[in-house]
Amino acid sequence: MSDEMDPPVKRESSYQHHISDKVIMEHMLRERFEHAKKQEKDYSHLFRPKRAWELVRLALYQLSVEFCYAAETGFASPIILSNGLSHTFMTMIWAFSPVLGFLFAPVVAAFSDQIRLSWGRRRPVLIALALAVCTGLCILPHGKTLGILLGDDDVPVEEMSGFRWGIVLTTIGLVLTDFDIETSSGIGRAYYMDMCIIDDHPRVLTTAMIVGGIGGTAGYTLGAIDWSQNSFGTAMGSNEAAVFLCVVIVMLIGVLVTVTSYREVSLPQMEKDALLRPITQSMFEEEKKRQLAIYSVSGVVLEPRKSVDGYSITVDEKEEPSISCGNFFKNLIHMPKSLAILYLTQFLSMFGYLSYCMYFTDFVGSAVFEGDVTAPTGSPGLILYEEGVRFGCWGMAVFTGSCALYSLMIEKLIKYFSARYVYVGGILVYSIGMLLMAVFRTKWMVLACGPTVGIMYATIYSIPFLAISQYHAKNSFAIKDGKYAESNQKRGFGTDVSMLSSMLFLAQLILALGIGSVIDAIGDTTVIIYTASLFSFFAAISATQVLLMDL
């Protein structure tokens, strides 16, 4: 009897010796690649590795996003203050878009998970958001001028009082820009990863950080130039208007290149054809069991599935469940512990980053250069403040440039030191850099600490998104007894990515509602840099508890 049982055992051992998980995955990708190539529209790009230039084209929208962030963070606060508002009211205006973002960005992402258009799920939303951003960019720098056309008094800043249309229009422009650019960034990342195989997810996120760093560097450098001294700036009416027009052009080019890079499979097609869906952990395990069963009987390694009328039989593969509106809100309340810790860490990280980002040029203009934004036009105080704002743009250009350079190394650092050390270390470096900048308020320290911001930014916009990618690829949010525990909860990938991005909105909301009053009470913008250091330190502590799976 034992002699009869030996052959299957030997065959299973032999099978495991001849074939690895990597080989099985390559077989599944090849099978899907060939199947996708035979469709009326070629979707084979979804099941093959991408070359470097293909990843650049796919993620080019991120360059536009960071280019826009550069203009917004460099000029939005000074534009609002130029309408005669105090720091307290300025930060309250900053609070509008995060309220909308935290409430509605995940809803937009959940909507993108369920769109049934033939053009795909992510691209229609991405285009709509990009056009909304461009609308906001056209309004924001011209709010004060449009307000005068609607009846506002054309008076110096110190004489402005009461209701002003300029404040309303500037707020509308800021909300359109800020809400839509961050929401589109989350949708964009979901689209980048949707178009790539799982092994390319780190590469495409790194590529997005690199091109984003280049875009941010170009944007801040553009902002550091005094355009009012040349004919282009004069023709546009102001330094800010010239910069924002360039941003609109870059935004339109970026979204056009990205959405035309690769076509998406529509949701109805994925529901009908399992071989057009992304490979999940459950699919992989089913295929592994199937191949082992075939080998134990016939000795054939990697037998392809039989097909009927050109379609492979996929009875073992579970259909990806759709996420209903009820499930979406239920998931927000009852989320896995690993996701809750990841979101908390991202919130603390964003709070620390935004403390620097939102008010940095104002900090440099007032605390480092000792200027005064409320001083009369042409006065030494206002001239110093404007010089400080432009110098702050150079400091932020250093930050985005270093972000691009660090992104080139982060994958190798993760392999050498592990994702945990890179994650915690990247946030701690930023905390120390902010502390040094707050203590030593010199323009050279502004430049010297810029790279620490780039290191943290590249860290929090790569490792947390890779963690969510791993959770969904393995359909697991916990490890029990050393194994991945399969999740029974229906969660949308785009929704979870957007929720992670929405931590920026939550941090921005709390920061906007509180920090302005603190600045006005203390009378020193240095408090925002101390806040950045403190909350990033808390984020580093929280990062030690994040579940990072195989990263």
Side-chain angles (χ1 to χ4, degrees):
M1 186 71 176
S2 61
D3 290 338
E4 294 178 2
M5 294 295 293
D6 282 345
V9 174
K10 289 180 180 179
R11 276 191 171 175
E12 180 174 341
S13 175
S14 177
Y15 173 83
Q16 294 172 342
H17 175 73
H18 284 94
I19 193 167
S20 64
D21 289 355
K22 181 180 178 182
V23 173
I24 294 176
M25 178 61 75
E26 289 174 351
H27 167 73
M28 294 179 73
L29 287 171
R30 186 166 58 252
E31 182 181 39
R32 283 157 176 76
F33 176 86
E34 295 296 337
H35 176 73
K37 205 171 183 63
K38 295 175 183 177
Q39 304 305 302
E40 184 177 347
K41 292 181 179 178
D42 186 357
Y43 297 110
S44 60
H45 53 268
L46 297 171
F47 304 105
R48 65 170 175 81
K50 304 290 190 298
R51 292 183 285 271
W53 71 267
E54 292 177 312
L55 294 178
V56 170
R57 182 184 175 190
L58 174 62
L60 194 67
Y61 181 67
Q62 208 61 34
L63 184 147
S64 301
V65 168
E66 298 299 335
F67 199 87
C68 179
Y69 277 149
E72 184 188 23
T73 56
F75 291 103
S77 292
I79 287 173
I80 296 170
L81 292 172
S82 70
N83 280 277
L85 295 177
S86 66
H87 280 88
T88 299
F89 284 106
M90 177 191 72
T91 53
M92 290 177 68
I93 287 175
W94 272 110
F96 287 131
S97 58
V99 168
L100 292 175
F102 187 70
L103 292 176
F104 295 110
V107 176
V108 172
F111 176 66
S112 81
D113 279 332
Q114 302 175 65
I115 287 179
R116 306 183 69 83
L117 297 176
S118 60
W119 214 47
R121 297 180 297 166
R122 315 294 184 197
R123 291 188 296 174
V125 178
L126 197 59
I127 291 172
L129 292 172
L131 291 176
V133 170
C134 291
T135 303
L137 290 170
C138 290
I139 297 173
L140 184 55
H142 300 290
K144 185 178 178 181
T145 302
L146 293 172
I148 293 172
L149 293 176
L150 292 174
D152 289 347
D153 294 329
D154 189 3
V155 295
V157 175
E158 64 272 12
E159 297 179 19
M160 293 178 181
S161 61
F163 173 83
R164 294 181 63 83
W165 282 108
I167 295 173
V168 175
L169 292 170
T170 300
T171 302
I172 291 172
L174 178 62
V175 170
L176 275 174
T177 302
D178 199 39
F179 168 75
D180 291 304
I181 194 64
E182 183 56 35
T183 304
S184 71
S185 180
I187 298 294
R189 283 185 170 84
Y191 173 63
Y192 309 154
M193 290 189 281
D194 282 350
M195 294 300 100
C196 295
I197 62 174
I198 187 69
D199 287 347
D200 274 352
H201 284 187
R203 293 179 63 223
V204 74
L205 289 177
T206 298
T207 302
M209 290 305 306
I210 294 170
V211 298
I214 294 171
T217 303
Y220 287 120
T221 302
L222 194 74
I225 299 171
D226 188 357
W227 291 96
S228 62
Q229 301 300 315
N230 58 47
S231 57
F232 178 61
T234 303
M236 293 305 302
S238 68
N239 186 58
E240 292 82 1
V243 171
F244 278 65
L245 177 61
C246 295
V247 177
V248 170
I249 294 171
V250 172
M251 176 64 61
L252 292 174
I253 294 173
V255 71
L256 180 63
V257 171
T258 289
V259 299
T260 57
S261 58
Y262 294 108
R263 66 170 61 93
E264 294 182 83
V265 181
S266 68
L267 187 57
Q269 284 177 289
M270 282 196 283
E271 289 173 345
K272 293 177 183 177
D273 191 344
L275 288 185
L276 292 179
R277 299 175 201 155
I279 299 174
T280 63
Q281 186 71 17
S282 60
M283 287 181 181
F284 176 81
E285 293 299 333
E286 288 292 339
E287 178 66 12
K288 191 174 180 179
K289 290 177 183 177
R290 191 181 76 88
Q291 294 291 351
L292 179 58
I294 292 171
Y295 184 81
S296 64
V297 174
S298 65
V300 176
V301 178
L302 295 178
E303 179 175 298
R305 295 175 183 271
K306 296 178 181 179
S307 61
V308 179
D309 295 331
Y311 288 91
S312 295
I313 299 171
T314 56
V315 294
D316 292 333
E317 294 180 358
K318 299 176 183 178
E319 183 174 335
E320 194 73 19
S322 60
I323 308 299
S324 67
C325 189
N327 282 330
F328 165 69
F329 287 107
K330 182 180 178 181
N331 287 348
L332 293 183
I333 300 171
H334 304 288
M335 66 174 64
K337 180 182 177 182
S338 57
L339 271 183
I341 295 174
L342 183 64
Y343 290 156
L344 172 64
T345 305
Q346 192 75 347
F347 163 74
L348 294 170
S349 301
M350 284 299 178
F351 200 100
Y353 165 69
L354 286 175
S355 299
Y356 159 90
C357 180
M358 286 173 61
Y359 309 109
F360 180 66
T361 53
D362 182 49
F363 159 74
V364 178
S366 58
V368 178
F369 278 68
E370 299 182 346
D372 183 3
V373 69
T374 63
T377 303
S379 65
L382 184 60
I383 291 173
L384 279 173
Y385 181 84
E386 290 175 345
E387 288 179 2
V389 168
R390 286 194 293 272
F391 190 85
C393 286
W394 284 116
M396 298 190 90
V398 172
F399 132 53
T400 51
S402 62
C403 174
L405 291 175
Y406 185 72
S407 296
L408 291 170
M409 302 182 289
I410 194 167
E411 278 189 78
K412 293 180 180 178
L413 291 173
I414 290 173
K415 290 179 181 178
Y416 189 79
F417 293 107
S418 85
R420 177 83 59 201
Y421 286 114
V422 175
Y423 193 19
V424 176
I427 300 173
L428 270 180
V429 164
Y430 171 79
S431 178
I432 295 170
M434 290 300 99
L435 182 62
L436 291 173
M437 191 187 299
V439 173
F440 304 102
R441 289 174 286 178
T442 67
K443 60 182 182 180
W444 306 117
M445 189 58 70
V446 167
L447 296 178
C449 292
T452 66
V453 189
I455 290 172
M456 202 227 2
Y457 190 80
T459 301
I460 64 175
Y461 269 102
S462 57
I463 294 178
F465 289 92
L466 287 175
I468 288 184
S469 172
Q470 289 286 322
Y471 297 161
H472 280 266
K474 299 181 183 303
N475 191 33
S476 174
F477 296 89
I479 295 179
K480 295 181 180 179
D481 300 325
K483 297 180 179 180
Y484 301 121
E486 186 171 352
S487 174
N488 295 320
Q489 192 177 36
K490 300 176 182 178
R491 303 194 66 89
F493 177 61
T495 305
D496 283 343
V497 168
S498 183
M499 275 294 295
L500 186 66
S501 295
S502 292
M503 293 303 104
L504 180 142
F505 288 123
L506 181 60
Q508 185 178 337
L509 172 62
I510 296 173
L511 189 65
L513 291 176
I515 199 68
S517 300
V518 175
I519 293 173
D520 285 339
I522 296 176
D524 187 357
T525 53
T526 308
V527 66
I528 60 178
I529 306 301
Y530 280 116
T531 302
S533 178
L534 180 64
F535 275 85
S536 55
F537 178 72
F538 292 153
I541 295 174
S542 180
T544 62
Q545 303 304 308
V546 172
L547 178 64
L548 294 175
M549 294 282 186
D550 292 336
L551 294 177

